[in-house]
Amino acid sequence: MAPTPLTGRNTAASHANFDSIESALVALRNGEGVVVMDNEDRENEGDFIFAAEKATPELLAFTIRYSSGYICVGMDPDRLDELNLPLMVKDSTDPLRTQYTISVDAAEGVSTGISAADRSRTIGILGNFDIKNPAALRRPGHVLPLRARKGGVIERGGHTEAATDLMRLAGMNPAGALCELVNDDGTMKRRDDLALVRSSQSIHAADSLPDEDDEQDRQQCFGLVHDCALFEGVEEHVRYAAGGTVAAANILVEGQAQIAIHWEGGRHHCQRSKAAGFCYVNDVVLGILALQKRFSRVLYIDLDLHHGDGVQDAFLYSSGVMTLSLHHHDRGFYPNSGGELSEGRGNGAGYSINVPLQRGTNDNSFIHVFSAVANKMLMAFDPEVIVVQCGCDGLAGDPHKVFNLTSNAFAQPVKTVLGWGRPVLLLGGGGYSWPECARCWTRLTAIACGYDIVPETDIPEHVFLNEYAPGFDMLTDVMLIEDSNTKEYLDSIIQAIQAALPNQS
């Protein structure tokens, strides 16, 4: 059996008994298993967890030998819905509220369903997200899928959520097989038992993993290089970026206001386990998760020059979050995604909408396509709350010099969204000219407060006035470049997106 790290939510006193999360992720990617402990005041049990998509007969045989044999698979709720796997009972009386679905076996390629080979095939189907047909599984069976909470271990500190969270962190499909480890006499292995087992021949700490002192490899693993290199104060930056957005979302959840603003937010590129595109945290995703405590349908609108890939990826399988990203798309242009008009999967099919725009996009093109698409999305989705990311790197004054927008291209969409009469969370985003960002976000703040600022308005005297030279006003000077978007191209996008939207009346 390959080396297996032991990980868990541990106290300082027992910290030496645990391997790092990084080691566990490497093991999972390599098709190995990890032992995960819950809190001592909860079950105080260790579950053997491995990636469902990596299931093999040998891995199942090992699991059965050292465990209770009652093998479950913690899974993302959207995947369970896609496979039509409802809860076993409507009202669970399980003390820890574990959400069991009906049991399953693979429909083909198995005998009775109970052998290690049979169960590995069943678990492999659950973990293979390319298999979408519910008929691939027969019911009942010998494997028990478990419905994980959307918020992961933050919402519920159980092994089910630990399994799906670890798979996401490892960059795999959120489906993890799990089973409780037992002693030879059939009793459950507790923390002290597992500390001994960890160094035995059956399950032991990984000594073949990369040296954790190799800081460069660790930073590479989490994307902390190049445009996301570490800097002094990065932890404080992450706290402010994420904390501000979550605080703003909570204001809407608690009904304290209809509009909340956090211009330091909008970091839309960061993936769940990897920094990317100057984004060390994806505050947008955290904010949407906070909003879901009250709102069941969240519409996310991304006005940034770059595709909102991190947010789209987070809710790709969800029908509770609809994303709309208007951005530039071209070969080699970061993040090299967002070219497909509709990218949702499973239950999320039709809920991830992209508008790839050409070089030179001006206010008229941007506002035209936004108005046509957004209003159709409003009717099709009927959102309860809207999040708008207002990245300013598409402004004509931004160093990118790709789009040719003024603040009007942001003002009109924000006015449209506010006119829908739903709670709205306004976030910042990209922008590499501080004066241009300040001009745009100041105007959007005024609009949120019921006013508008005429672009010709002079900038008032203050310590940074020289940054607004030579005009010293709120205007963004457009460039003398051609808008490459033809009317035919924009109309074709609008028609295709309207056809792809779900639940149209």
Side-chain angles (χ1 to χ4, degrees), residues 100-400:
Y100 294 89
T101 75
I102 56 175
S103 56
V104 295
D105 279 340
E108 298 179 352
V110 299
S111 55
T112 63
I114 191 64
S115 69
D118 287 356
R119 283 194 272 182
S120 71
R121 178 166 177 78
T122 300
I123 293 170
I125 290 174
L126 292 172
N128 184 351
F129 282 26
D130 289 331
I131 299 176
K132 304 179 184 300
N133 189 355
L137 298 165
R138 65 189 185 199
R139 304 150 176 83
H142 296 86
V143 175
L144 278 161
L146 305 177
R147 193 177 185 93
R149 300 294 199 276
K150 279 283 191 181
V153 294
I154 296 176
E155 182 177 342
R156 178 180 180 270
H159 288 103
T160 304
E161 288 70 28
T164 54
D165 280 0
L166 282 170
M167 300 314 146
R168 286 193 178 97
L169 287 170
M172 294 185 288
N173 293 329
L178 60 149
C179 195
E180 301 91 344
L181 294 169
V182 299
N183 294 307
D184 292 341
D185 62 0
T187 58
M188 305 304 300
K189 284 190 181 295
R190 306 299 179 187
R191 187 170 300 250
D192 293 340
D193 301 319
L194 289 165
L196 296 174
V197 169
R198 178 178 181 269
S199 59
S200 72
Q201 292 183 350
S202 60
I203 303 176
H204 57 87
D207 55 8
S208 61
L209 295 170
D211 185 355
E212 288 187 11
D213 291 333
D214 191 342
E215 191 65 22
Q216 186 174 359
D217 285 351
R218 294 181 66 194
Q219 291 176 8
Q220 181 77 37
C221 176
F222 294 103
L224 297 173
V225 292
H226 308 307
D227 54 1
C228 287
L230 289 174
F231 61 91
E232 186 175 353
V234 65
E235 293 181 0
E236 185 177 28
H237 161 71
V238 168
R239 285 196 296 269
Y240 279 124
T245 296
V246 172
N250 285 336
I251 287 174
L252 301 181
V253 169
E254 295 164 6
Q256 298 180 30
Q258 278 288 100
I259 305 170
I261 301 174
H262 182 222
W263 295 130
E264 179 62 19
R267 315 289 170 154
H268 59 171
H269 291 308
C270 183
Q271 300 291 326
R272 182 159 185 157
S273 61
K274 204 164 190 176
F278 301 103
C279 302
Y280 295 82
V281 63
N282 199 316
D283 64 283
V284 184
V285 171
L286 297 177
I288 292 174
L289 291 175
L291 290 170
Q292 287 183 317
K293 291 185 292 186
R294 173 185 172 188
F295 305 105
S296 60
R297 295 185 305 280
V298 182
L299 174 59
Y300 171 69
I301 299 173
D302 194 309
L303 306 180
D304 200 278
L305 177 66
H306 301 87
H307 178 228
D309 57 332
V311 183
Q312 175 185 279
D313 292 348
F315 301 104
L316 201 61
Y317 290 86
S318 174
S319 59
V321 178
M322 178 173 277
T323 62
L324 168 63
S325 178
L326 291 82
H327 53 268
H328 179 59
H329 177 74
D330 200 358
R331 179 180 298 177
F333 189 79
Y334 188 85
N336 299 304
S337 60
E340 297 293 328
L341 300 184
S342 179
E343 298 193 46
R345 300 177 186 171
N347 286 341
Y351 289 84
S352 296
I353 304 300
N354 293 310
V355 179
L357 296 171
Q358 304 296 319
R359 186 172 294 274
T361 298
N362 62 28
D363 289 353
N364 290 336
S365 294
F366 197 85
I367 294 171
H368 169 64
V369 72
F370 170 82
S371 298
V373 172
N375 285 318
K376 288 292 184 180
M377 293 178 75
L378 174 67
M379 292 185 289
F381 186 54
D382 190 24
E384 296 176 346
V385 63
I386 301 99
V387 180
V388 187
Q389 195 264 23
C390 304
C392 292
D393 39 8
L395 288 170
D398 189 88
H400 275 93

